[in-house]
Amino acid sequence: EVRLVEGGGGTVQAGGSLRLSCTASGLSFDDSDSEMAWYRQAPGKECDLVGSISKDGKSSYHNSGQGRFIISRDNAENTIYLQMNGVKPEDTAVYYCAAKPHFSPRYAGRCTDSVFHDWGQGSQVTVSL
């Protein structure tokens, strides 16, 4: 059974940085289908894809975080990261990591209601002025 645990969230001032982590168990990061993703969801909003990262560490970005966010992974530690730089108030959301490939750019409803992926519990990021 896949289990994903996020950490590193919190409150940060606009323009600052923070780093989220997601540690996986029950999932081999060496598998060819080990692509992972970060999603985020603000209150009343859709579940939006932040970006994904392939087995070999190639990342792609699918929202306004492109150019400010960096997704990386450490396969030896079964962990992926989301480095958030130059955060903006609109980045305030719950951030989720997700496993299993074929990530859609968004899902209606709650991120964790999507049955297509395994999800972490979410980590709150709040950007203050």
Side-chain angles (χ1 to χ4, degrees):
E1 181 179 352
V2 175
R3 192 169 81 98
L4 307 174
V5 179
E6 297 107 333
T11 300
V12 60
Q13 289 199 355
S17 300
L18 78 168
R19 186 194 195 199
L20 304 182
S21 64
C22 172
T23 300
S25 61
L27 176 69
S28 175
F29 275 31
D30 294 327
D31 291 342
S32 60
D33 61 349
S34 62
E35 185 179 13
M36 303 283 291
W38 287 98
Y39 285 82
R40 69 183 185 183
Q41 186 161 42
K45 303 294 186 179
E46 294 179 319
C47 174
D48 292 327
L49 176 65
V50 176
S52 62
I53 185 164
S54 66
K55 174 187 176 182
D56 64 356
K58 180 174 291 186
S59 59
S60 60
Y61 303 91
H62 305 277
N63 67 2
S64 60
Q66 186 172 2
R68 299 183 294 114
F69 296 173
I70 301 171
I71 300 173
S72 60
R73 68 190 297 158
D74 184 338
N75 289 345
E77 298 294 329
N78 290 340
T79 300
I80 65 169
Y81 301 92
L82 176 62
Q83 178 70 41
M84 304 172 61
N85 299 316
V87 295
K88 303 176 180 179
E90 55 262 40
D91 295 324
T92 295
V94 178
Y95 285 73
Y96 300 90
C97 66
K100 297 183 182 178
H102 308 297
F103 300 108
S104 294
R106 65 185 60 84
Y107 295 104
R110 296 182 299 176
C111 288
T112 53
D113 285 342
S114 174
V115 301
F116 300 108
H117 311 291
D118 291 303
W119 300 91
Q121 83 285 355
S123 184
Q124 177 71 50
V125 173
T126 301
V127 180
S128 63
L129 295 175

